[in-house]
Amino acid sequence: MSEAGAFSLRRVEAADAELLLRWRNAESNRPFMYNTAPIELATHMRWLAAELANPQSRHLVFQQGDEAIGYASLTDITVQHRRCSWGFNLADTPQPKGSGARMLFCVADYAFTELGLEKICSEVLSFNSASLRVHQRLGFASEGRRRRHIHRDDGVFDIELFALFADAWQTQRQALLSELLDG
Ligand SMILES: CC(C)(COP(=O)(O)OP(=O)(O)OC[C@H]1O[C@@H](n2cnc3c(N)ncnc32)[C@H](O)[C@@H]1OP(=O)(O)O)[C@@H](O)C(=O)NCCC(=O)NCCS
C-alpha cells in the first residue's frame, strides 16, 4: 500500500461499511454526487459486498495514523487498456486543508505503481470547485466537457472530464510528494 509519513492507504473491509455510508450520506459529500438521494443501509451493504468481490474495483481508505479520513475508489479497472476511473470523498468531519490532495496523491501512486495502470479517468460536476482544483493541482488534463449530462432534482448539470497519465505523473511525482507529504 502507498504510505508516506503518517498517511497511508488501506483496502476497505466489510467492517468499514457503516463508516463509508455515513460519509457518503453526509451533507459535506452528497451534493457532489450524481445521485444526491441518501443511500439506505441495505442497498449500501449489497453494493459493498459486490464491489469488494469485483476484480475490476479497488476500494481504499485514507488514514492519518489510525484515523480514517477519506475514501477513494478505483473502478472499471481494465487491464487491456491499462486504465481505470476514480471517485472519492473525505470524512464527514472537518479535515485540514490539503487533505484531499494528499489522499489523491497516494491513490494515483497506487494506481500507477501498484496496479501498473497508465491512465486514470475522472468526471467532476462543473460546479465542484474543490474537486476541479484538486484535479488541476495533481496534473490532470482536460478531456472535455459533457453538457447537460446530469439531471438531478436541483437542476441539470455539465460535467468536466479529466485524465491523468502515468508518464506525466512520473515527471511531477517528486515535486508533488515534497509539496504535499514531506512538509
Ligand atoms: C474534493 C475534495 C476531496 C477536495 O479535498 P480538500 O481537502 O477540500 O481539498 P484540498 O484542501 O486538498 O484543496 C485542493 C485545492 O482546492 C482548493 N479548494 C478547496 N476547497 C475549495 C473550494 N470550496 N472552492 C475552491 N477551491 C477549493 C484548495 O484551496 C486547494 O487549492 P491550492 O492547491 O491552490 O491550494 C473534498 O472537498 C471532498 O471530499 N468533497 C466532497 C466530495 C467530492 O466532491 N468528491 C469528488 C467528486 S468528483
Side-chain angles (χ1 to χ4, degrees):
M1 285 277 121
S2 304
E3 195 162 327
F7 297 98
S8 61
L9 281 179
R10 66 167 175 82
R11 298 282 286 268
V12 166
E13 296 161 10
D16 297 312
E18 292 194 18
L19 180 70
L20 298 187
L21 180 63
R22 199 180 82 212
W23 292 355
R24 162 60 179 77
N25 283 342
E27 281 306 316
S28 54
N29 288 321
R30 213 150 41 81
F32 302 103
M33 305 291 149
Y34 289 166
N35 170 19
T36 55
I39 308 281
E40 301 285 334
L41 179 61
T43 308
H44 176 71
M45 298 301 277
R46 274 196 303 277
W47 168 81
L48 187 62
E51 275 298 293
L52 292 181
N54 182 350
Q56 289 186 283
S57 299
R58 294 289 186 283
H59 295 270
L60 303 165
V61 170
F62 184 56
Q63 299 204 162
Q64 178 162 21
D66 289 339
E67 190 192 355
I69 61 168
Y71 158 76
S73 62
L74 300 175
T75 54
D76 299 323
I77 297 170
T78 310
V79 173
Q80 184 186 350
H81 303 299
R82 298 178 195 171
R83 61 173 149 77
C84 67
S85 299
W86 77 0
F88 49 85
N89 58 255
L90 291 177
D92 58 352
T93 48
Q95 298 300 324
K97 186 170 154 56
S99 298
R102 277 191 284 276
M103 171 171 77
L104 295 175
F105 176 94
C106 295
V107 177
D109 228 25
Y110 176 80
F112 294 132
T113 308
E114 303 219 12
L115 300 183
L117 298 174
E118 291 184 7
K119 181 180 186 185
I120 300 171
C121 305
S122 188
E123 298 182 358
V124 183
L125 284 160
S126 60
F127 62 81
N128 190 350
S129 308
S131 184
L132 292 174
R133 178 71 193 121
V134 89
H135 281 85
Q136 191 179 39
R137 186 159 185 206
L138 290 171
F140 276 77
S142 172
E143 292 205 316
R145 184 178 183 108
R146 289 209 163 129
R147 296 188 185 276
R148 301 175 62 183
H149 198 66
I150 296 294
H151 284 243
R152 306 193 321 192
D153 288 348
D154 55 343
V156 183
F157 301 99
D158 296 354
I159 62 169
E160 297 289 343
L161 305 178
F162 292 103
L164 181 63
F165 292 91
D167 50 2
W169 183 250
Q170 287 313 325
T171 63
Q172 57 166 14
R173 183 186 180 281
Q174 197 53 48
L176 274 173
L177 180 66
S178 312
E179 233 177 83
L180 295 171
L181 289 150
D182 282 352

